[in-house]
Amino acid sequence: MHEKKQASKRRSRGVIVKPLLLGSLLSFAIVSAVVLLLEQGRSHTLFGLPWGAPNGENIALRALIINAIQLGLVCFGLLFRGYDVISRAFRRRINAVYTVMLGLSYGALVLKYFNSTTINAIEQIFGVVGIVGIPATLYALYLLVIVYRRVENRLEDAQELSVKYYNQLITDSLTGLPNRILFQDQLTAKLAEVQKKRKKLAVLFLDLDRFKFINDTLGHRVGDLLLQGVVERLQRVMRRDETLYRLGGDEFILVTECEQKSDGLERANALLHHMEDPFEIDDHELFITTSIGLSWYPDDGEDMETLFKNADMAMYRAKDHGRNNVQQYESVMNVHAVERLQLEKDLRKAIEREEFRVFYQPQIDIDSGRMIGMEALVRWQHPERGMVSPGLFIPLAEETNLIVPIGEWVMRTACVQTKRWHDAGFPHIRVSINLSAHQFTQPSLVSKVRTILEETGIEPKYVDLEITESITMTNVDKAISTMSELTGLGIQISIDDFGTGYSSLSYLKKFPIHTLKIDQSFVRDIPQNSDDAAIATAVIAMAHSLNLNVIAEGVETEEQLEFLRERNCNEYQGYLCSRPLPPHEFEELLANELQMRT
C-alpha cells in the first residue's frame, strides 16, 4: 500500500513538474525577447520620445518580476487544469490580478528605456506596483503549494477509499473469504499456472445441507455464526496451496492442485469427516453436513465457467443421493440437469393443474389386527411421465419451498376425505399427515391447521400430524411451543423416522407427542440384523416407559411382524398389510374393515 502511494506521488509530481519546467523556459524566453527588442530599439526614436540607457540591474530586476508573475500564471493554470479545487469566479479574479500586474510590469520595463519627466514619474508608479508583484507572487506560490498538498492528500484519500471499496467488492464481509468475483479472476490465472506444471486442478463445490432450515428456524444471527464456524473449521484443515471462496449463502468453492484424482476424492471426503462434529452456537448444538460436487481440470473443462458449472451439477447429484456425500462430475449429468429444470417447471404447474393425488396406507393394531389409522401420502400423476416417484419430486419441492403449498393441499384433501368416510358410516379411524420442515417453521402453521379443521368439520382427535425427529432438534424450545399449540387444538402428534436423527431423551420426554414411528431402515433387516433388532427393541421399550404409542414402518414379512409382536410394538404399516392406495381402492379396505367389525 505504501509503495502504491509513493508511485502515485511520483506520477502526480510528473504531471506538474514537466509542464512547469517548460512554462518556466517559455516565460524566460518571452522576457528575454522583449528585453532584446528594446535594446535593439534604442538607436531609434519612437513617438518622438527620447530613448535612454537604463541601468542593467534595474532591467534585470524588472525581468525577474515579469518572469515570476508569468511563472505564477503558469502554475495556477496547471493546477486549475487538472483539479477543480477553487471556484471559477475566484479563478477569474486571480487571473485578472495577475494580468494587471503583468501588464504594469511590462510597462515599467518598457518605460525604463525612455527619458522624460512625465515618463519617469509614470515609470516610478509602475515600478512600485511591479515591486509589489514580487511578494504577491511569492505569496501566491506559497498558496499554490498549500493547494497542491491539499489536492494530493485528497487524491491519496480517494485512492485509499477506492482500495477499500475494491476489497469490499472482492471479499465476503461475513467470513472474510474471497468471493465469487475474485474466484473467477483467480481461477482463470490458476488454470494457466497448472497448465504449465502439467498438474490436475480440482474444483470442489460445497453446499451445506439444510442450512436454510436452520437459518429460518433459529434466525439469521445464528445462521451467520454457523457459517463463520464452518469457515473456521475448514480453514484449520486447508493446505497452503488451497483457496476457499464463499459464493454466497451456504455455498463455497475450494480449489486445490492434485497429482491424481484419488487425491482430490480423498481431500473431499476428509472435509466431510471434519464436518461431523456438532457446532456449539448460542447454547444450540447444531449438526450440519455438506454435499460436495467435484470437477477436474482439464478432464471436465478447460475454462473457469465450465469447471464451475460442472462442479455445481455434481453437487446437486450429491444432494439427490441423500446429501453428506461427494460426487464427481460425469457427462451424463448434463442430461440430468436439463431433466431437473424441466421437472421443477412442471412441479410449479402441478398444483394449478390438479395433478397431485393423495394415497392412503392402513395402520394396523398388532394385537387385534384391526385397522386403526391410515397415513396420507402425496403422489404426483404427471400427464406425460405418469406416476412420479416421491423420492424424486419431494426433495425438489423442499428445495424450491413448493412443499409448503403442496403440504397444505395434502392436509386439506386428507381431512376432507376422512370426514367424508366418517360421514358415510365407515370406521372412524385417524389420518396421519406428514409435516415438512418448511411447514413446521411457518409462523402461520397453527392458524392454518385450525382453519382446515374448522372448514372440513373433521374432529381434531382423528388427525395425527407427523414431524421428523430432526425437525424437533433444530430449535427445541420453539418446537415444543409449536407442538403444544397444535395439541391444544385437540390433534395428535407423532415423531416420524425415529432413530435417524439426534434426539436427546431429556428433550423427548418434554415433547407433547403421542406416538413414535420406528424408521423402516431399522425394520427392514430384523430379526437377521442384530444391530437393527437391538435398536428396534430399545425404541419400543423406551416409548412404553414414556407412555407413548409405537408404530413400525415398512413391515413386509410375517417374520418381522412376529418380532415386533413379541416386543409389544403397538401398530405397524407396510406392504405386508397393503401398499398405499388411491381413495376408491382404500374405500374397499374400509368396507372390509366395517364388515369384520359388524
Short mmCIF file of all heavy atoms in Angstrom, two decimals, residues 531-586:
data_model
loop_
_atom_site.label_atom_id
_atom_site.label_comp_id
_atom_site.label_asym_id
_atom_site.label_seq_id
_atom_site.Cartn_x
_atom_site.Cartn_y
_atom_site.Cartn_z
N ASP A 531 -28.00 -55.60 15.12
CA ASP A 531 -27.97 -54.19 15.49
C ASP A 531 -29.34 -53.55 15.32
O ASP A 531 -29.82 -52.83 16.20
CB ASP A 531 -26.93 -53.44 14.65
CG ASP A 531 -25.51 -53.86 14.99
OD1 ASP A 531 -25.29 -54.33 16.14
OD2 ASP A 531 -24.62 -53.71 14.13
N ASP A 532 -29.96 -53.79 14.16
CA ASP A 532 -31.29 -53.24 13.92
C ASP A 532 -32.30 -53.79 14.92
O ASP A 532 -33.19 -53.07 15.40
CB ASP A 532 -31.74 -53.55 12.49
CG ASP A 532 -30.99 -52.71 11.46
OD1 ASP A 532 -30.34 -51.73 11.85
OD2 ASP A 532 -31.04 -53.07 10.26
N ALA A 533 -32.18 -55.06 15.22
CA ALA A 533 -33.09 -55.67 16.18
C ALA A 533 -32.93 -55.04 17.55
O ALA A 533 -33.92 -54.78 18.25
CB ALA A 533 -32.82 -57.18 16.26
N ALA A 534 -31.69 -54.76 17.93
CA ALA A 534 -31.45 -54.14 19.23
C ALA A 534 -32.01 -52.73 19.28
O ALA A 534 -32.60 -52.31 20.29
CB ALA A 534 -29.95 -54.12 19.52
N ILE A 535 -31.84 -51.97 18.17
CA ILE A 535 -32.36 -50.61 18.13
C ILE A 535 -33.89 -50.62 18.21
O ILE A 535 -34.49 -49.84 18.98
CB ILE A 535 -31.89 -49.90 16.85
CG1 ILE A 535 -30.39 -49.66 16.90
CG2 ILE A 535 -32.63 -48.58 16.66
CD1 ILE A 535 -29.80 -49.10 15.63
N ALA A 536 -34.53 -51.48 17.44
CA ALA A 536 -35.99 -51.54 17.45
C ALA A 536 -36.51 -51.93 18.84
O ALA A 536 -37.47 -51.36 19.36
CB ALA A 536 -36.48 -52.54 16.41
N THR A 537 -35.86 -52.88 19.46
CA THR A 537 -36.26 -53.32 20.81
C THR A 537 -36.12 -52.17 21.80
O THR A 537 -37.00 -51.94 22.65
CB THR A 537 -35.40 -54.51 21.25
OG1 THR A 537 -35.56 -55.59 20.33
CG2 THR A 537 -35.80 -54.97 22.64
N ALA A 538 -35.00 -51.43 21.72
CA ALA A 538 -34.76 -50.32 22.65
C ALA A 538 -35.78 -49.20 22.45
O ALA A 538 -36.27 -48.61 23.42
CB ALA A 538 -33.34 -49.79 22.46
N VAL A 539 -36.10 -48.89 21.20
CA VAL A 539 -37.06 -47.81 20.93
C VAL A 539 -38.43 -48.18 21.49
O VAL A 539 -39.12 -47.35 22.11
CB VAL A 539 -37.14 -47.54 19.41
CG1 VAL A 539 -38.31 -46.59 19.10
CG2 VAL A 539 -35.84 -46.92 18.91
N ILE A 540 -38.86 -49.42 21.28
CA ILE A 540 -40.16 -49.85 21.79
C ILE A 540 -40.20 -49.75 23.31
O ILE A 540 -41.16 -49.23 23.90
CB ILE A 540 -40.47 -51.30 21.33
CG1 ILE A 540 -40.62 -51.34 19.81
CG2 ILE A 540 -41.73 -51.82 22.01
CD1 ILE A 540 -40.70 -52.75 19.24
N ALA A 541 -39.16 -50.25 23.97
CA ALA A 541 -39.11 -50.21 25.43
C ALA A 541 -39.10 -48.77 25.94
O ALA A 541 -39.79 -48.44 26.92
CB ALA A 541 -37.88 -50.97 25.93
N MET A 542 -38.32 -47.93 25.31
CA MET A 542 -38.23 -46.54 25.73
C MET A 542 -39.58 -45.83 25.55
O MET A 542 -40.03 -45.09 26.43
CB MET A 542 -37.16 -45.80 24.92
CG MET A 542 -37.02 -44.33 25.26
SD MET A 542 -36.09 -43.44 24.01
CE MET A 542 -37.21 -43.56 22.62
N ALA A 543 -40.24 -46.06 24.42
CA ALA A 543 -41.52 -45.41 24.15
C ALA A 543 -42.56 -45.83 25.20
O ALA A 543 -43.32 -44.99 25.70
CB ALA A 543 -42.00 -45.77 22.75
N HIS A 544 -42.59 -47.09 25.53
CA HIS A 544 -43.55 -47.56 26.54
C HIS A 544 -43.26 -46.95 27.90
O HIS A 544 -44.18 -46.64 28.66
CB HIS A 544 -43.52 -49.09 26.62
CG HIS A 544 -44.16 -49.74 25.44
ND1 HIS A 544 -43.97 -51.06 25.11
CD2 HIS A 544 -45.00 -49.23 24.47
CE1 HIS A 544 -44.67 -51.36 24.01
NE2 HIS A 544 -45.29 -50.25 23.61
N SER A 545 -41.98 -46.77 28.22
CA SER A 545 -41.63 -46.16 29.51
C SER A 545 -42.09 -44.70 29.57
O SER A 545 -42.31 -44.16 30.65
CB SER A 545 -40.13 -46.24 29.73
OG SER A 545 -39.42 -45.42 28.82
N LEU A 546 -42.23 -44.07 28.39
CA LEU A 546 -42.72 -42.69 28.32
C LEU A 546 -44.21 -42.63 28.01
O LEU A 546 -44.73 -41.55 27.70
CB LEU A 546 -41.94 -41.92 27.23
CG LEU A 546 -40.44 -41.73 27.48
CD1 LEU A 546 -39.77 -41.11 26.26
CD2 LEU A 546 -40.19 -40.87 28.71
N ASN A 547 -44.87 -43.80 28.07
CA ASN A 547 -46.32 -43.90 27.80
C ASN A 547 -46.66 -43.42 26.39
O ASN A 547 -47.67 -42.74 26.16
CB ASN A 547 -47.13 -43.09 28.82
CG ASN A 547 -46.98 -43.65 30.23
OD1 ASN A 547 -47.00 -44.87 30.43
ND2 ASN A 547 -46.81 -42.75 31.20
N LEU A 548 -45.82 -43.80 25.44
CA LEU A 548 -46.05 -43.41 24.05
C LEU A 548 -46.44 -44.65 23.23
O LEU A 548 -46.00 -45.77 23.51
CB LEU A 548 -44.77 -42.80 23.45
CG LEU A 548 -44.28 -41.50 24.08
CD1 LEU A 548 -42.96 -41.07 23.44
CD2 LEU A 548 -45.32 -40.39 23.95
N ASN A 549 -47.26 -44.40 22.23
CA ASN A 549 -47.63 -45.44 21.28
C ASN A 549 -46.48 -45.66 20.31
O ASN A 549 -45.72 -44.73 20.00
CB ASN A 549 -48.89 -45.00 20.54
CG ASN A 549 -49.48 -46.11 19.70
OD1 ASN A 549 -49.58 -47.24 20.16
ND2 ASN A 549 -49.88 -45.79 18.49
N VAL A 550 -46.31 -46.87 19.76
CA VAL A 550 -45.21 -47.17 18.83
C VAL A 550 -45.77 -47.79 17.56
O VAL A 550 -46.52 -48.77 17.63
CB VAL A 550 -44.18 -48.13 19.46
CG1 VAL A 550 -42.99 -48.29 18.52
CG2 VAL A 550 -43.72 -47.63 20.80
N ILE A 551 -45.36 -47.22 16.41
CA ILE A 551 -45.70 -47.78 15.10
C ILE A 551 -44.41 -48.14 14.38
O ILE A 551 -43.47 -47.34 14.34
CB ILE A 551 -46.50 -46.79 14.24
CG1 ILE A 551 -47.79 -46.38 14.93
CG2 ILE A 551 -46.81 -47.38 12.87
CD1 ILE A 551 -48.62 -45.39 14.12
N ALA A 552 -44.38 -49.31 13.80
CA ALA A 552 -43.23 -49.73 12.99
C ALA A 552 -43.59 -49.57 11.52
O ALA A 552 -44.62 -50.05 11.06
CB ALA A 552 -42.86 -51.17 13.29
N GLU A 553 -42.72 -48.89 10.78
CA GLU A 553 -42.95 -48.67 9.35
C GLU A 553 -42.23 -49.73 8.53
O GLU A 553 -41.23 -50.31 8.97
CB GLU A 553 -42.43 -47.28 8.93
CG GLU A 553 -43.16 -46.11 9.55
CD GLU A 553 -42.59 -44.79 9.04
OE1 GLU A 553 -41.40 -44.52 9.26
OE2 GLU A 553 -43.36 -44.03 8.43
N GLY A 554 -42.71 -49.95 7.32
CA GLY A 554 -42.01 -50.79 6.36
C GLY A 554 -42.03 -52.27 6.69
O GLY A 554 -41.10 -53.01 6.30
N VAL A 555 -43.08 -52.74 7.36
CA VAL A 555 -43.18 -54.18 7.68
C VAL A 555 -43.63 -54.93 6.42
O VAL A 555 -44.70 -54.65 5.86
CB VAL A 555 -44.17 -54.41 8.84
CG1 VAL A 555 -44.30 -55.91 9.12
CG2 VAL A 555 -43.70 -53.65 10.08
N GLU A 556 -42.83 -55.91 6.00
CA GLU A 556 -43.11 -56.61 4.74
C GLU A 556 -43.22 -58.13 4.91
O GLU A 556 -43.68 -58.81 4.00
CB GLU A 556 -42.02 -56.28 3.72
CG GLU A 556 -41.94 -54.80 3.37
CD GLU A 556 -40.86 -54.50 2.35
OE1 GLU A 556 -40.10 -55.44 2.01
OE2 GLU A 556 -40.78 -53.35 1.89
N THR A 557 -42.78 -58.66 6.04
CA THR A 557 -42.81 -60.12 6.21
C THR A 557 -43.46 -60.49 7.54
O THR A 557 -43.49 -59.70 8.49
CB THR A 557 -41.38 -60.70 6.18
OG1 THR A 557 -40.67 -60.25 7.34
CG2 THR A 557 -40.64 -60.26 4.92
N GLU A 558 -43.95 -61.73 7.60
CA GLU A 558 -44.55 -62.23 8.84
C GLU A 558 -43.49 -62.36 9.93
O GLU A 558 -43.78 -62.18 11.12
CB GLU A 558 -45.19 -63.61 8.58
CG GLU A 558 -46.46 -63.56 7.75
CD GLU A 558 -47.63 -62.95 8.51
OE1 GLU A 558 -47.51 -62.80 9.75
OE2 GLU A 558 -48.64 -62.63 7.86
N GLU A 559 -42.27 -62.62 9.52
CA GLU A 559 -41.18 -62.76 10.49
C GLU A 559 -40.93 -61.42 11.18
O GLU A 559 -40.73 -61.37 12.41
CB GLU A 559 -39.92 -63.23 9.76
CG GLU A 559 -38.80 -63.65 10.70
CD GLU A 559 -37.60 -64.18 9.94
OE1 GLU A 559 -37.52 -63.95 8.72
OE2 GLU A 559 -36.74 -64.83 10.58
N GLN A 560 -40.95 -60.34 10.42
CA GLN A 560 -40.78 -59.01 11.01
C GLN A 560 -41.94 -58.70 11.96
O GLN A 560 -41.74 -58.18 13.07
CB GLN A 560 -40.71 -57.95 9.91
CG GLN A 560 -39.46 -58.02 9.05
CD GLN A 560 -39.55 -57.13 7.82
OE1 GLN A 560 -40.63 -56.65 7.47
NE2 GLN A 560 -38.42 -56.94 7.16
N LEU A 561 -43.15 -59.03 11.53
CA LEU A 561 -44.32 -58.75 12.34
C LEU A 561 -44.28 -59.53 13.65
O LEU A 561 -44.60 -59.00 14.72
CB LEU A 561 -45.59 -59.10 11.56
CG LEU A 561 -46.92 -58.85 12.30
CD1 LEU A 561 -47.06 -57.39 12.69
CD2 LEU A 561 -48.09 -59.30 11.43
N GLU A 562 -43.87 -60.79 13.59
CA GLU A 562 -43.79 -61.60 14.80
C GLU A 562 -42.75 -61.05 15.77
O GLU A 562 -42.96 -61.03 16.99
CB GLU A 562 -43.46 -63.05 14.43
CG GLU A 562 -43.47 -64.00 15.61
CD GLU A 562 -44.82 -64.07 16.30
OE1 GLU A 562 -45.87 -63.85 15.63
OE2 GLU A 562 -44.84 -64.31 17.53
N PHE A 563 -41.63 -60.58 15.23
CA PHE A 563 -40.60 -59.97 16.06
C PHE A 563 -41.16 -58.76 16.81
O PHE A 563 -40.93 -58.59 18.02
CB PHE A 563 -39.40 -59.55 15.19
CG PHE A 563 -38.32 -58.83 15.93
CD1 PHE A 563 -37.27 -59.52 16.51
CD2 PHE A 563 -38.35 -57.45 16.05
CE1 PHE A 563 -36.27 -58.86 17.19
CE2 PHE A 563 -37.34 -56.77 16.73
CZ PHE A 563 -36.30 -57.47 17.31
N LEU A 564 -41.90 -57.91 16.09
CA LEU A 564 -42.49 -56.71 16.71
C LEU A 564 -43.57 -57.08 17.73
O LEU A 564 -43.70 -56.42 18.77
CB LEU A 564 -43.07 -55.82 15.61
CG LEU A 564 -42.05 -55.23 14.62
CD1 LEU A 564 -42.74 -54.58 13.44
CD2 LEU A 564 -41.12 -54.22 15.31
N ARG A 565 -44.34 -58.12 17.42
CA ARG A 565 -45.40 -58.54 18.36
C ARG A 565 -44.79 -59.03 19.67
O ARG A 565 -45.29 -58.71 20.76
CB ARG A 565 -46.24 -59.63 17.71
CG ARG A 565 -47.38 -60.11 18.62
CD ARG A 565 -48.19 -61.22 18.00
NE ARG A 565 -48.99 -60.71 16.88
CZ ARG A 565 -48.83 -61.06 15.63
NH1 ARG A 565 -47.83 -61.90 15.30
NH2 ARG A 565 -49.59 -60.59 14.67
N GLU A 566 -43.70 -59.77 19.59
CA GLU A 566 -43.06 -60.29 20.79
C GLU A 566 -42.51 -59.16 21.67
O GLU A 566 -42.38 -59.33 22.88
CB GLU A 566 -41.93 -61.24 20.41
CG GLU A 566 -42.41 -62.55 19.79
CD GLU A 566 -41.27 -63.41 19.32
OE1 GLU A 566 -40.09 -62.93 19.39
OE2 GLU A 566 -41.50 -64.55 18.87
N ARG A 567 -42.19 -58.04 21.07
CA ARG A 567 -41.63 -56.91 21.82
C ARG A 567 -42.68 -55.85 22.14
O ARG A 567 -42.37 -54.73 22.48
CB ARG A 567 -40.46 -56.30 21.05
CG ARG A 567 -39.20 -57.16 21.26
CD ARG A 567 -38.35 -57.22 20.04
NE ARG A 567 -37.22 -58.14 20.26
CZ ARG A 567 -37.28 -59.46 20.05
NH1 ARG A 567 -38.41 -60.03 19.64
NH2 ARG A 567 -36.23 -60.23 20.27
N ASN A 568 -43.95 -56.23 21.94
CA ASN A 568 -45.09 -55.38 22.33
C ASN A 568 -45.17 -54.08 21.54
O ASN A 568 -45.58 -53.05 22.09
CB ASN A 568 -45.06 -55.08 23.83
CG ASN A 568 -45.20 -56.34 24.66
OD1 ASN A 568 -46.01 -57.23 24.35
ND2 ASN A 568 -44.40 -56.43 25.73
N CYS A 569 -44.76 -54.11 20.28
CA CYS A 569 -44.99 -52.94 19.43
C CYS A 569 -46.50 -52.80 19.21
O CYS A 569 -47.20 -53.81 19.02
CB CYS A 569 -44.27 -53.11 18.09
SG CYS A 569 -44.44 -51.71 16.97
N ASN A 570 -47.02 -51.58 19.24
CA ASN A 570 -48.47 -51.39 19.20
C ASN A 570 -49.06 -51.54 17.80
O ASN A 570 -50.08 -52.21 17.62
CB ASN A 570 -48.82 -50.00 19.74
CG ASN A 570 -48.32 -49.79 21.15
OD1 ASN A 570 -47.36 -49.05 21.35
ND2 ASN A 570 -48.93 -50.46 22.12
N GLU A 571 -48.42 -50.91 16.80
CA GLU A 571 -49.02 -50.88 15.47
C GLU A 571 -47.95 -51.08 14.41
O GLU A 571 -46.74 -50.94 14.68
CB GLU A 571 -49.73 -49.53 15.23
CG GLU A 571 -50.79 -49.18 16.26
CD GLU A 571 -51.27 -47.74 16.12
OE1 GLU A 571 -51.13 -47.17 15.01
OE2 GLU A 571 -51.76 -47.18 17.11
N TYR A 572 -48.39 -51.36 13.21
CA TYR A 572 -47.45 -51.46 12.10
C TYR A 572 -48.14 -51.00 10.82
O TYR A 572 -49.37 -50.96 10.72
CB TYR A 572 -46.93 -52.89 11.93
CG TYR A 572 -47.88 -53.83 11.23
CD1 TYR A 572 -47.78 -54.06 9.86
CD2 TYR A 572 -48.90 -54.49 11.93
CE1 TYR A 572 -48.65 -54.93 9.21
CE2 TYR A 572 -49.76 -55.37 11.30
CZ TYR A 572 -49.64 -55.58 9.92
OH TYR A 572 -50.51 -56.42 9.29
N GLN A 573 -47.31 -50.65 9.85
CA GLN A 573 -47.80 -50.39 8.49
C GLN A 573 -46.73 -50.84 7.52
O GLN A 573 -45.55 -50.87 7.84
CB GLN A 573 -48.14 -48.91 8.29
CG GLN A 573 -46.96 -47.95 8.30
CD GLN A 573 -47.38 -46.49 8.14
OE1 GLN A 573 -47.72 -45.84 9.11
NE2 GLN A 573 -47.34 -46.00 6.91
N GLY A 574 -47.15 -51.19 6.33
CA GLY A 574 -46.20 -51.67 5.34
C GLY A 574 -46.88 -52.55 4.32
O GLY A 574 -48.09 -52.80 4.38
N TYR A 575 -46.10 -53.05 3.40
CA TYR A 575 -46.65 -53.84 2.30
C TYR A 575 -47.23 -55.18 2.76
O TYR A 575 -47.98 -55.81 2.02
CB TYR A 575 -45.56 -54.09 1.25
CG TYR A 575 -45.41 -52.94 0.27
CD1 TYR A 575 -45.61 -51.62 0.68
CD2 TYR A 575 -45.05 -53.16 -1.04
CE1 TYR A 575 -45.48 -50.57 -0.19
CE2 TYR A 575 -44.90 -52.11 -1.94
CZ TYR A 575 -45.12 -50.82 -1.50
OH TYR A 575 -45.00 -49.78 -2.37
N LEU A 576 -46.86 -55.64 3.97
CA LEU A 576 -47.45 -56.87 4.47
C LEU A 576 -48.96 -56.71 4.61
O LEU A 576 -49.72 -57.67 4.36
CB LEU A 576 -46.85 -57.22 5.84
CG LEU A 576 -47.39 -58.48 6.52
CD1 LEU A 576 -47.11 -59.71 5.66
CD2 LEU A 576 -46.80 -58.65 7.91
N CYS A 577 -49.38 -55.51 4.95
CA CYS A 577 -50.81 -55.23 5.05
C CYS A 577 -51.35 -54.71 3.73
O CYS A 577 -52.30 -55.25 3.17
CB CYS A 577 -51.05 -54.20 6.16
SG CYS A 577 -52.75 -53.61 6.23
N SER A 578 -50.74 -53.65 3.22
CA SER A 578 -51.20 -53.05 1.96
C SER A 578 -50.22 -51.98 1.52
O SER A 578 -49.62 -51.30 2.35
CB SER A 578 -52.59 -52.43 2.15
OG SER A 578 -52.96 -51.70 0.99
N ARG A 579 -50.11 -51.84 0.23
CA ARG A 579 -49.37 -50.71 -0.32
C ARG A 579 -50.25 -49.46 -0.22
O ARG A 579 -51.47 -49.58 0.00
CB ARG A 579 -49.00 -50.98 -1.77
CG ARG A 579 -50.21 -51.20 -2.66
CD ARG A 579 -49.82 -51.54 -4.09
NE ARG A 579 -50.97 -51.87 -4.91
CZ ARG A 579 -51.76 -50.98 -5.50
NH1 ARG A 579 -51.51 -49.68 -5.40
NH2 ARG A 579 -52.80 -51.38 -6.22
N PRO A 580 -49.71 -48.25 -0.38
CA PRO A 580 -50.56 -47.05 -0.41
C PRO A 580 -51.55 -47.14 -1.58
O PRO A 580 -51.18 -47.50 -2.70
CB PRO A 580 -49.56 -45.92 -0.62
CG PRO A 580 -48.26 -46.45 -0.10
CD PRO A 580 -48.27 -47.91 -0.43
N LEU A 581 -52.79 -46.79 -1.32
CA LEU A 581 -53.87 -46.96 -2.30
C LEU A 581 -54.56 -45.64 -2.59
O LEU A 581 -54.70 -44.80 -1.69
CB LEU A 581 -54.90 -47.96 -1.78
CG LEU A 581 -54.39 -49.38 -1.49
CD1 LEU A 581 -55.48 -50.19 -0.80
CD2 LEU A 581 -53.93 -50.06 -2.77
N PRO A 582 -55.07 -45.48 -3.82
CA PRO A 582 -55.91 -44.31 -4.11
C PRO A 582 -57.22 -44.42 -3.34
O PRO A 582 -57.60 -45.52 -2.89
CB PRO A 582 -56.10 -44.39 -5.62
CG PRO A 582 -55.90 -45.82 -5.97
CD PRO A 582 -54.88 -46.34 -5.00
N PRO A 583 -57.98 -43.34 -3.19
CA PRO A 583 -59.17 -43.35 -2.34
C PRO A 583 -60.18 -44.44 -2.67
O PRO A 583 -60.71 -45.08 -1.77
CB PRO A 583 -59.75 -41.94 -2.55
CG PRO A 583 -58.58 -41.10 -2.91
CD PRO A 583 -57.67 -41.99 -3.70
N HIS A 584 -60.46 -44.65 -3.96
CA HIS A 584 -61.51 -45.62 -4.30
C HIS A 584 -61.09 -47.04 -3.93
O HIS A 584 -61.94 -47.87 -3.58
CB HIS A 584 -61.86 -45.52 -5.78
CG HIS A 584 -60.75 -45.92 -6.72
ND1 HIS A 584 -59.72 -45.06 -7.05
CD2 HIS A 584 -60.53 -47.09 -7.38
CE1 HIS A 584 -58.90 -45.68 -7.89
NE2 HIS A 584 -59.37 -46.92 -8.10
N GLU A 585 -59.80 -47.37 -4.01
CA GLU A 585 -59.33 -48.69 -3.61
C GLU A 585 -59.25 -48.81 -2.09
O GLU A 585 -59.55 -49.86 -1.52
CB GLU A 585 -57.97 -48.99 -4.24
CG GLU A 585 -58.00 -49.14 -5.75
CD GLU A 585 -56.65 -49.54 -6.32
OE1 GLU A 585 -55.90 -50.25 -5.59
OE2 GLU A 585 -56.33 -49.17 -7.47
N PHE A 586 -58.85 -47.73 -1.44
CA PHE A 586 -58.76 -47.78 0.02
C PHE A 586 -60.15 -47.92 0.64
O PHE A 586 -60.31 -48.53 1.70
CB PHE A 586 -58.08 -46.51 0.55
CG PHE A 586 -57.73 -46.57 2.00
CD1 PHE A 586 -56.58 -47.21 2.43
CD2 PHE A 586 -58.57 -46.01 2.96
CE1 PHE A 586 -56.26 -47.28 3.78
CE2 PHE A 586 -58.26 -46.08 4.30
CZ PHE A 586 -57.10 -46.72 4.71
#
